[in-house]
Amino acid sequence: MSRILALDYGEKRIGIAVTDELKIIASGLTTVKTIDIFNFLDQYLANEKVELILVGEPKQMNNTPSESEKLIAPFIEKLRGKYLKIPVKRVDERFTSKMAFQTMIDGGLKKKQRKNKALIDEISATIILQSYLYNN
């Protein structure tokens, strides 16, 4: 049994979500500093079987890549080069940050807790993963 991992790439932090082994439920895993992501992935992949890595694809409303794609493309190239046996797919991530923030409000988190950008990144990764599961 293996899992699917989703990454919400950011210049400072990467939100990470993962499925259960049956690939039914998407759950937030953690948020890692971008500089530490490959150390985290090395350790995680040594202990867990992952069959697919999803990376959010930020697009503008007219479907063109957003400015942050310039930062994500080299990251994905390195990801694919380092973990050759695990396919990497992109998932449209438009509105995930807004949806994550709304999820925090709906969940009753206080204003101070909603300012936690790391939590927003983790929830965004979960939304990316859940949308993939729903559409596949």
Side-chain angles (χ1 to χ4, degrees):
M1 303 292 271
S2 59
R3 302 173 186 274
I4 299 173
L5 201 64
L7 307 176
D8 180 37
Y9 183 90
E11 196 170 353
K12 295 179 182 179
R13 291 172 307 281
I14 296 177
I16 303 169
V18 66
T19 63
D20 59 312
E21 290 181 337
L22 297 174
K23 293 178 267 320
I24 297 171
I25 300 169
S27 301
L29 182 62
T30 190
T31 304
V32 177
K33 289 180 182 176
T34 301
I35 196 166
D36 297 329
I37 189 62
F38 289 104
N39 289 333
F40 174 85
L41 289 173
D42 287 345
Q43 290 178 340
Y44 187 82
L45 296 172
N47 297 310
E48 296 288 343
K49 186 172 181 182
V50 172
E51 72 177 50
L52 176 65
I53 298 174
L54 304 172
V55 180
E57 183 176 18
K59 294 182 179 182
Q60 297 182 38
M61 291 305 297
N62 65 2
N63 219 25
T64 60
S66 76
E67 285 292 315
S68 57
E69 185 63 25
K70 293 175 188 174
L71 300 170
I72 298 172
F75 167 73
I76 290 175
E77 191 174 313
K78 186 173 179 182
L79 191 64
R80 286 182 170 140
K82 188 166 175 63
Y83 308 110
L84 297 172
K85 295 182 180 182
I86 305 172
V88 176
K89 288 187 179 179
R90 303 298 302 276
V91 176
D92 188 344
E93 68 168 42
R94 277 180 284 197
F95 308 116
T96 55
S97 292
K98 289 179 183 177
M99 290 168 65
F101 190 74
Q102 188 62 47
T103 299
M104 294 169 79
I105 291 171
D106 294 346
L109 268 66
K110 297 190 185 318
K111 191 172 185 177
K112 185 177 180 181
Q113 294 169 307
R114 293 192 307 254
K115 290 182 180 182
N116 181 349
K117 293 185 192 280
L119 183 56
I120 293 172
D121 293 338
E122 184 179 326
I123 294 170
S124 294
T126 307
I127 292 168
I128 290 167
L129 182 52
Q130 189 62 53
S131 71
Y132 175 82
L133 293 174
Y134 180 77
N135 291 314
N136 288 288

